[in-house]
C-alpha cells in the first residue's frame, strides 16, 4: 500500500509504479498497481484533501514507513525532511536519484495569506528554509513523503509556487489529520485487512482501477498553483 497525493492518482493509470534509489539503477523496481483510492473530498474547489492510497497487485519487500496519527503534528519551527525525484531547480529536470532535503515548518498564517486564504490549518502545514530560502520541494516531488526527526511520515508534498522562491513556502497534506480515513481505506481495499479492521466500522469507498492505456511521464499538474519538489 502506498500513500500519495490525490492529484497524483492519474499518474498510476498505466498500472506501473517505479521505485528505487536510482530510477535507472539496479535497484529500480516496477510494481503492478491494482487500484487507487482518492479522498472523496478531493478535488473540492480547493487544494485540500490532497491524499490517496495506492494498492499494489503484489506484495513489496520495501520497508514500510510509520505514519503519524497525531493531527496536530508537525508544528511551527519543526525540522522535517522531504524525499523525491523532482526537479533540482525550478523549470529544470527531474533527478534520476532519490534526493532529500531538510526544511522547516513555517508560520501557517503567513503561508495561508500568500495562498489567498485557501488553506485549512487542521489539514495542511507549510514548509521552507527560512534562513535563505535555498531549499524546497519542486515539480515532480508531489505525493512524496515529509518525515519528522524520527522518520515518521507527517506529511505529503502537495503544491506550491515555484521552487525555493524567497519568502514562499510550499504546502503539504497533514498525514495525522487523515488517520481515520487512511485506516478505513486500508481496510476497504486490502486483500488481507489488518486485524484492527475487525473492530473498525468501515464505509465502502469508491475505488478506481488503473486503465490499460499508457500515460505520459509525471509532470507538474497543469493547474495553479504549480506543484513542488526538494532542492538544495
Amino acid at each position: 500500500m502506498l500513500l500519495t497525493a490525490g492529484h497524483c492518482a492519474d499518474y498510476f493509470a498505466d498500472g506501473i509504479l517505479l521505485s528505487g534509489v536510482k530510477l535507472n539503477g539496479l535497484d529500480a523496481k516496477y510494481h503492478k498497481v491494482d487500484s487507487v483510492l482518492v479522498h472523496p473530498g478531493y478535488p473540492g474547489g480547493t487544494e485540500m484533501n490532497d491524499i490517496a492510497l495506492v494498492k499494489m497487485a503484489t506484495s513489496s519487500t520495501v520497508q514500510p514507513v510509520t505514519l503519524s496519527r497525531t493531527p496536530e503534528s508537525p508544528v511551527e519551527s519543526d525540522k522535517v525532511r522531504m524525499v523525491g525525484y523532482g526537479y533540482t531547480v525550478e523549470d529544470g529536470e527531474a533527478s534520476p536519484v532519490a534526493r532529500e532535503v531538510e526544511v522547516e515548518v513555517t508560520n501557517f498564517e503567513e503561508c495561508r495569506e500568500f495562498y489567498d486564504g485557501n488553506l485549512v490549518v487542521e489539514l495542511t502545514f507549510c514548509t521552507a528554509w527560512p534562513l535563505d530560502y535555498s531549499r524546497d520541494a519542486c515539480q515532480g516531488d508531489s505525493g512524496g513523503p515529509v518525515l519528522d526527526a524520527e522518520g515518521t511520515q507527517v506529511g505529503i508534498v502537495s503544491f506550491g509556487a515555484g521552487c525555493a522562491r524567497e519568502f514562499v513556502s510550499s504546502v503539504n497534506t497533514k498525514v495525522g489529520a487523515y488517520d481515520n480515513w487512511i485506516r478505513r481505506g486500508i481496510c476497504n481495499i486490502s486483500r488481507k485487512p489488518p486485524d484492527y479492521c475487525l473492530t473498525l466500522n468501515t464505509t465502502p469507498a469508491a475505488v478506481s482501477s488503473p486503465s490499460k492505456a499508457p500515460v505520459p511521464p509525471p509532470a507538474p499538474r497543469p493547474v495553479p498553483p504549480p506543484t513542488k519538489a526538494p532542492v538544495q
Side-chain angles (χ1 to χ4, degrees):
M1 198 76 68
L2 173 73
L3 186 66
T4 188
H7 76 262
C8 295
D10 290 345
Y11 296 136
F12 298 104
D14 60 356
I16 296 296
L17 171 68
L18 181 64
S19 67
V21 176
K22 294 183 178 181
L23 292 181
N24 57 355
L26 296 178
D27 66 334
K29 294 181 176 63
Y30 292 85
H31 304 277
K32 183 70 176 178
V33 173
D34 179 87
S35 56
V36 181
L37 177 65
V38 180
H39 192 283
Y42 184 87
T46 70
E47 299 293 325
M48 298 302 93
N49 304 311
D50 190 11
I51 187 171
L53 286 167
V54 179
K55 176 186 175 184
M56 303 301 170
T58 57
S59 60
S60 171
T61 58
V62 176
Q63 182 66 30
V65 67
T66 299
L67 301 181
S68 171
R69 300 191 63 188
T70 306
E72 299 80 15
S73 179
V75 297
E76 185 175 346
S77 298
D78 279 357
K79 297 291 194 304
V80 293
R81 291 180 294 121
M82 294 175 164
V83 182
Y85 298 95
Y87 294 6
T88 55
V89 295
E90 188 171 337
D91 297 323
E93 296 182 353
S95 172
V97 179
R99 297 166 64 89
E100 70 173 56
V101 63
E102 183 182 71
V103 290
E104 187 174 300
V105 178
T106 54
N107 181 272
F108 185 81
E109 291 305 322
E110 293 177 359
C111 182
R112 176 159 57 184
E113 181 179 358
F114 177 84
Y115 291 105
D116 299 322
N118 294 320
L119 301 179
V120 179
V121 67
E122 290 82 7
L123 304 178
T124 57
F125 63 95
C126 300
T127 50
W129 188 245
L131 182 63
D132 58 7
Y133 291 89
S134 63
R135 308 176 186 180
D136 197 3
C138 202
Q139 290 90 342
D141 277 339
S142 292
V146 183
L147 311 172
D148 67 10
E150 286 71 44
T152 297
Q153 184 173 352
V154 294
I156 303 168
V157 178
S158 183
F159 70 90
C163 306
R165 294 183 181 180
E166 190 173 17
F167 307 124
V168 177
S169 296
S170 57
V171 182
N172 311 274
T173 299
K174 190 178 289 186
V175 169
Y178 293 92
D179 176 65
N180 189 53
W181 180 83
I182 293 170
R183 289 164 64 82
R184 289 173 183 271
I186 291 173
C187 293
N188 283 331
I189 65 178
S190 293
R191 289 184 298 275
K192 296 181 179 180
D195 291 340
Y196 71 76
C197 297
L198 297 175
T199 58
L200 182 68
N201 292 326
T202 58
T203 301
V207 180
S208 62
S209 298
S211 66
K212 300 302 180 181
V215 295
R221 278 209 310 159
V223 294
T227 55
K228 307 180 63 174
V231 297
Q232 55 182 344

